[in-house]
Amino acid sequence: MASPFSGALQLTDLDDFIGPSQDCIKPVKVVKRPGSGVARIHIEDDGSYFQVNQDGGTQKLAKARVSLNDCLACSGCVTSAETVLITQQSHEELRKVLDANKTAAPSEQRLVVISVSPQSRASLAARFQLNPTDTARKLTSFFKKIGAHLVLDTAFSRNFSLLESQREFVRRFRDRANSSVALPVLASACPGWICYAEKTHGSFILPYLSTARSPQQVMGSLVKDFFAQKQGLTPDKVYHVTVMPCYDKKLEASRPDFFSQEHQARDVDCVLTTGEVLKLLEEEGVSLSEVEPAPLDGLSSSTSAEEPTSHRGGGSGGYLEHVFRHAARELFGVHVDEVTYRPLRNRDFQEVTLEREGQVLLHFATAYGFRNIQNLVQKLKRGRCHYHYVEVMACPSGCLNGGGQLKALDMPNRDLLQQVESLYGMVKVETPEDVPGVQELYDQWLQGESSERASRLLHTQYHAVEKASSGLSIRW
Amino acid sequence: MKDSLVLLSRVPAHPDSRCWFLAWNPAGTLLASCGGDRRIRIWGTEGDSWICKSVISEGHQRTVRKVAWSPCGNYLASASFDATTCIWKKTQDDFECVTTLEGHENEVKSVAWAPSGNLLATCSRDKSVWVWEVDEEDEYECVSVLNSHTQDVKHVVWHPSQELLASASYDDTVKLYREEEDDWVCCATLEGHESTVWSLAFDPSGQRLASCSDDRTVRIWRQYLPGNEQGVACSGSDPSWKCICTLSGFHSRTIYDVAWCQLTGALATACGDDAIRVFEEDPSSDPQQPTFSLAAHSRQAHSQDVNCVAWNPKEPGLLASCSDDGEVALWKYQRPEGL
């Protein structure tokens, strides 16, 4: 079965040849019960295990499960068997939570929040022949019908990712004389790229990565910290689902950095791909086009809108475009209207420059797809990378072409992608600095743009993954 | 069949190790060998004997699995289990490392130059095939990463005149690739072998492709262009490939290599039963359903598995072979009369 993960992730993570000595070190929580004595295990005819207590009572033991998170925590031996598990698991998981809510006591119920990415929405819009606003309204209605309480748009949290990226670049650019790893700044919103970078290039590449959190994970902070508090709930009482264009985002949500030890809860509990949302629709016997639209939600009254909004700069978030225009203004006092992209060896590798009197002031690039990532990293290793900022994405053509997007039914993939791009581009564009509610959140929730809270909730860290070097792990 | 394959010389090329592969330079004057001892040796003749003209001992941390000369003869590429591919430039007496291509996740199994000299292909146990482009300043850049195979890719070879790439894999298939817009795509998958396909060779015209396998057969595939006379169906503008001949019952073990002589059309095989065989196409057979006859069979060509056979590109009948026993052997083949 062809792997649904991005090409970059496929090459590094999937390995069906597990060496004999690699013990699965799943961190199992051992519950110590008072009393001495060894428990006896009895195996039934059907293969189920029962623990026989000292008083003769029996307890059926749950089957040990190794989930995706456990595997990643171990330093990753994600085999193709596991990928099959992940790809089939998530919308069932959501169902379980929604069903549990129906029968649970009010104090046991969880508040279900679903954050939809603009890329997934564009893919659904293309499939159901709807415009983005109707798609957003109908999705809101559908999710609420099956039990969700709030439906949000990650374009809102993307404002924070973009603002933090802009500020970080200017800071690092100004600091470049003091640090050999200040530049280039490499965008880090793509988990396929991050997992590849951590595994294959480790400590060499990590200092270059932007520390700004991705829109998915900023939304995680917004929902589990800001919103949960407002509702008087602890983070574990909120079930946060995101709808994303790729499977790699599931790995991002599973990162230990996005797990709160204090509350034992993840910032994002479940990631559904666009395809899994389609499955949900199909299981409900519903066609999105027939759903009655509902008004759009927001995190607060100042953030809900009549129609969805987006950002300029393409379907992968617009990082290059925003960082470039902000840097041009902040560093050189230049106002850039239209950003001109110059394609290089292929259309997934493009350049943008800011020049003045023949001098290059800023030199930025986009590098999408594994082959371009390869070339970028090799140039960086040889000291031949002249870019100040690179928007790196693992998927050729960017997020709109992610592995979890809906496939073309009766037309060439290229044509569908164009349709999805055009639907994505139809949405009203906003400048992060001007979005209502964003500044308010910086002031009230984060207590300032440069505060410790802003740094903790809007930024993250990366970790080099050490390769196991025991003799038994040599591949023959 | 007796005396049709005569041993000329035997050289202990990679002592105490395996010799994995051989490559003749385009002029046919030098033979490069590589092995488990991590070295590459360059052989040439001095009078009647074969002597080692150069040794490249630095450059790879593990076994060198394949070597390939560029079409101009000035560069040598080496693919290694250390996951890198080195490009060596031939200077007067020596070889100097121009660059090291990195990126494959694990063992690189094969490397091949395109006839234009501007493109290079590598393949690896990481299941991928990479296409690289080289510019005038000897800078190499990755042009495409192809993930079509589902298992270890053993060999890559370019069409003799077109920019068409073929790969052989542990997944029992052969795949063909061509450039489409700004990327490379898999344009055909050849299924039929029942086990690992170890090697490939195009015939002199490039219309046919020979593949050899762990299933102990050699298969000949033919390219059918859209609108062909034989009525073979093609999808879109891509040619179709059909298996037109299977050589079975000749080999008693895995066939590790196949070489198609570009001068005479003779087909040589390297087998795990320590033997070298040469096949000739029957001149009267139907081009759409050719038959091949065994023209030469050297049963104990080596004392262990034969890993590679390579025809000299300039001297008809001159064949080189190498083995797990670490030796390189040179043979003179003469087409038997009455065949």
Side-chain angles (χ1 to χ4, degrees):
Chain A
M1 168 190 138
S3 168
F5 289 98
S6 71
L9 206 55
Q10 274 179 56
L11 280 172
T12 56
D13 276 52
L14 301 188
D15 187 343
D16 281 336
F17 302 102
I18 306 177
S21 73
Q22 280 172 305
D23 294 323
C24 179
I25 54 144
K26 175 187 156 132
V28 181
K29 207 160 96 164
V30 178
V31 176
K32 287 213 130 135
R33 288 207 176 74
S36 64
V38 179
R40 287 188 301 125
I41 309 282
H42 175 76
I43 308 170
E44 293 285 289
D45 290 334
D46 66 359
S48 51
Y49 287 71
F50 281 85
Q51 174 178 297
V52 182
N53 300 328
Q54 285 192 311
D55 61 5
T58 58
Q59 248 179 297
K60 185 162 183 185
L61 294 173
K63 235 199 268 191
R65 304 199 66 148
V66 178
S67 73
L68 170 63
N69 304 355
D70 301 326
C71 280
L72 285 177
C74 175
S75 94
C77 61
V78 182
T79 67
S80 47
E82 262 102 23
T83 64
V84 174
L85 284 176
I86 313 159
T87 61
Q88 295 178 341
Q89 201 184 45
S90 301
H91 71 287
E92 287 165 21
E93 255 189 55
L94 172 59
R95 276 242 177 266
K96 278 196 208 131
V97 172
L98 293 171
D99 288 342
N101 262 1
K102 287 190 193 134
T103 56
S107 59
E108 293 305 306
Q109 282 177 12
R110 296 166 84 174
L111 197 73
V112 179
V113 178
I114 303 188
S115 302
V116 184
S117 70
Q119 293 88 352
S120 294
R121 187 181 55 223
S123 178
L124 285 159
R127 173 60 71 91
F128 291 98
Q129 301 281 291
L130 300 165
N131 67 52
T133 304
D134 285 342
T135 311
R137 292 203 181 131
K138 286 170 191 262
L139 275 173
T140 301
S141 172
F142 171 71
F143 284 134
K144 288 194 161 163
K145 204 166 72 105
I146 61 172
H149 299 95
L150 192 69
V151 181
L152 302 171
D153 185 348
T154 61
F156 180 72
S157 53
R158 191 163 64 191
N159 287 304
F160 293 87
S161 303
L162 291 167
L163 288 168
E164 292 302 310
S165 299
Q166 288 173 187
R167 287 196 261 267
E168 179 192 25
F169 177 77
V170 165
R171 206 172 47 236
R172 281 171 59 170
F173 187 89
R174 287 189 169 132
D175 198 41
R176 67 196 185 286
N178 301 331
S179 165
S180 61
V181 293
L183 299 178
V185 175
L186 304 177
S188 58
C190 173
W193 153 234
I194 297 305
C195 287
Y196 170 74
E198 287 179 322
K199 279 263 171 87
T200 315
H201 300 288
S203 38
F204 168 75
I205 200 107
L206 301 190
Y208 297 102
L209 299 172
S210 161
T211 58
R213 285 195 188 197
S214 70
Q216 167 171 282
Q217 299 305 143
V218 169
M219 192 59 105
S221 292
L222 279 166
V223 168
K224 294 283 183 131
D225 191 277
F226 172 72
F227 179 71
Q229 271 178 33
K230 241 179 48 152
Q231 301 291 116
L233 295 168
T234 49
D236 56 301
K237 283 287 186 282
V238 178
Y239 190 74
H240 185 204
V241 182
T242 61
V243 178
M244 290 288 148
C246 67
Y247 289 88
D248 299 29
K249 283 287 173 186
K250 294 179 189 254
L251 296 179
E252 183 180 54
S254 308
R255 288 174 74 89
D257 308 86
F258 303 132
F259 179 82
S260 157
Q261 287 293 342
E262 189 193 336
H263 300 287
Q264 291 292 298
R266 285 200 275 160
D267 291 347
V268 175
D269 296 290
C270 176
V271 178
L272 295 183
T273 61
T274 321
E276 285 167 325
V277 169
L278 185 68
K279 275 205 200 106
L280 271 177
L281 285 161
E282 284 167 359
E283 281 172 13
E284 291 290 312
V286 163
S287 164
L288 194 64
S289 38
E290 287 154 15
V291 174
E292 273 302 303
L296 301 178
D297 287 330
L299 276 169
S300 57
S301 53
S302 57
T303 60
S304 50
E306 283 292 305
E307 50 177 347
T309 57
S310 189
H311 300 103
R312 47 187 292 174
S316 303
Y319 295 92
L320 180 149
E321 188 131 336
H322 286 76
V323 174
F324 184 77
R325 294 179 78 234
H326 177 80
R329 200 172 51 240
E330 279 296 299
L331 298 166
F332 305 105
V334 175
H335 173 77
V336 176
D337 245 326
E338 281 299 308
V339 177
T340 312
Y341 294 82
R342 195 163 59 89
L344 298 172
R345 61 170 45 253
N346 58 66
R347 74 180 131 227
D348 283 326
F349 190 34
Q350 309 198 330
E351 255 185 12
V352 170
T353 50
L354 182 72
E355 288 179 52
R356 188 155 64 192
E357 289 149 20
Q359 223 205 344
V360 173
L361 301 174
L362 290 173
H363 198 186
F364 284 24
T366 59
Y368 294 179
F370 190 59
R371 58 186 170 157
N372 292 313
I373 292 178
Q374 265 310 291
N375 290 331
L376 171 72
V377 177
Q378 290 306 318
K379 282 215 176 74
L380 200 55
K381 283 194 156 163
R382 282 155 219 247
R384 297 244 192 97
C385 177
H386 307 300
Y387 298 114
H388 298 121
Y389 184 87
V390 186
E391 179 177 301
V392 184
M393 296 291 156
C395 297
S397 302
C399 304
L400 290 171
N401 197 30
Q405 294 284 66
L406 302 178
K407 302 279 179 273
L409 288 176
D410 50 10
M411 66 175 92
N413 290 326
R414 188 166 312 272
D415 293 349
L416 176 66
L417 182 60
Q418 262 183 349
Q419 255 188 40
V420 174
E421 279 170 356
S422 128
L423 282 161
Y424 181 91
M426 254 186 222
V427 179
K428 191 180 78 160
V429 148
E430 283 187 317
T431 314
E433 286 87 341
D434 302 333
V435 174
V438 171
Q439 194 52 50
E440 212 177 280
L441 281 160
Y442 266 111
D443 295 335
Q444 287 168 16
W445 172 49
L446 297 168
Q447 281 129 40
E449 283 166 19
S450 327
S451 68
E452 181 272 330
R453 276 178 71 78
S455 177
R456 186 166 44 89
L457 294 163
L458 300 180
H459 287 262
T460 185
Q461 292 175 321
Y462 305 103
H463 317 279
V465 178
E466 298 308 325
K467 290 204 166 136
S469 57
S470 79
L472 282 168
S473 67
I474 291 177
R475 311 303 189 194
W476 299 102
Chain B
M1 203 148 74
K2 194 163 132 74
D3 299 334
S4 45
L5 190 65
V6 171
L7 178 70
L8 296 174
S9 191
R10 210 182 272 284
V11 184
H14 296 269
D16 302 324
S17 189
R18 284 175 225 268
C19 182
W20 276 116
F21 204 73
L22 299 169
W24 291 100
N25 67 345
T29 54
L30 298 172
L31 181 68
S33 72
C34 61
D37 60 0
R38 312 190 309 275
R39 284 166 175 67
I40 301 164
R41 287 193 170 81
I42 314 295
W43 307 88
T45 46
E46 202 149 283
D48 278 337
S49 35
W50 287 84
I51 60 150
C52 180
K53 300 238 166 174
S54 271
V55 186
I56 302 173
S57 38
E58 305 294 312
H60 286 298
Q61 315 297 319
R62 287 180 63 190
T63 292
V64 184
R65 182 64 178 85
K66 297 238 166 79
V67 279
W69 293 90
S70 64
C72 64
N74 296 327
Y75 297 88
L76 186 69
S78 58
S80 168
F81 283 0
D82 67 8
T84 70
T85 305
C86 281
I87 311 292
W88 308 89
K89 189 180 173 117
K90 186 177 187 311
T91 58
Q92 277 277 48
D93 299 314
D94 225 342
F95 285 82
E96 150 195 311
C97 182
V98 162
T99 193
T100 303
L101 305 180
E102 290 177 348
H104 275 297
E105 179 68 4
N106 45 47
E107 295 84 0
V108 187
K109 298 297 179 90
S110 185
V111 60
W113 296 84
S116 64
N118 292 339
L119 297 175
L120 195 68
T122 57
C123 66
S124 161
R125 183 168 67 78
D126 67 14
K127 308 172 197 165
S128 66
V129 171
W130 292 40
V131 182
W132 307 78
E133 196 173 70
V134 53
D135 64 22
E136 313 79 40
E137 282 124 48
D138 282 351
E139 289 289 324
Y140 288 75
E141 277 209 341
C142 173
V143 156
S144 191
V145 175
L146 297 149
N147 289 304
S148 305
H149 279 295
T150 55
Q151 297 288 359
D152 186 354
V153 190
K154 301 290 191 187
H155 196 72
V156 276
V157 69
W158 289 92
H159 186 281
S161 51
Q162 293 166 27
E163 282 190 349
L164 178 70
L165 180 66
S167 64
S169 165
Y170 179 63
D171 69 9
D172 307 351
T173 69
V174 172
K175 283 182 186 274
L176 293 154
Y177 312 88
R178 61 171 176 76
E179 202 173 0
E180 187 177 82
E181 295 194 19
D182 66 359
D183 204 352
W184 284 71
V185 293
C186 174
C187 57
T189 299
L190 276 43
E191 288 168 321
H193 277 297
E194 289 159 16
S195 188
T196 303
V197 187
W198 279 99
S199 192
L200 301 164
F202 277 98
D203 78 346
S205 72
Q207 268 195 321
R208 298 179 304 178
L209 178 64
S211 59
C212 66
S213 164
D214 175 60
D215 69 4
R216 295 173 271 146
T217 68
V218 171
R219 279 172 194 258
I220 313 291
W221 311 81
R222 191 193 180 86
Q223 186 184 61
Y224 290 90
L225 299 170
N228 60 79
E229 290 176 345
Q230 292 77 23
V232 175
C234 294
S235 69
S237 54
D238 277 328
S240 259
W241 289 77
K242 232 178 71 162
C243 179
I244 55 172
C245 175
T246 303
L247 300 175
S248 53
F250 294 100
H251 301 81
S252 58
R253 290 256 150 78
T254 305
I255 312 169
Y256 291 112
D257 198 17
V258 62
W260 212 324
C261 182
Q262 304 292 290
L263 301 169
T264 68
L267 203 59
T269 60
C271 188
D273 62 8
D274 312 348
I276 292 172
R277 294 169 180 78
V278 182
F279 296 84
E280 292 271 12
E281 191 172 352
D282 301 328
S284 55
S285 66
D286 172 8
Q288 312 306 326
Q289 280 181 305
T291 52
F292 286 75
S293 303
L294 184 63
H297 183 183
S298 175
R299 279 167 219 283
Q300 279 295 113
H302 287 275
S303 57
Q304 290 183 52
D305 291 4
V306 189
N307 292 322
C308 178
V309 276
W311 293 104
N312 186 293
K314 295 291 180 207
E315 196 181 316
L318 180 58
L319 182 71
S321 66
C322 71
S323 161
D324 275 356
D325 63 14
E327 294 189 336
V328 168
L330 289 122
W331 311 81
K332 181 82 189 143
Y333 165 75
Q334 203 139 350
R335 189 196 172 103
E337 282 162 50
L339 190 66

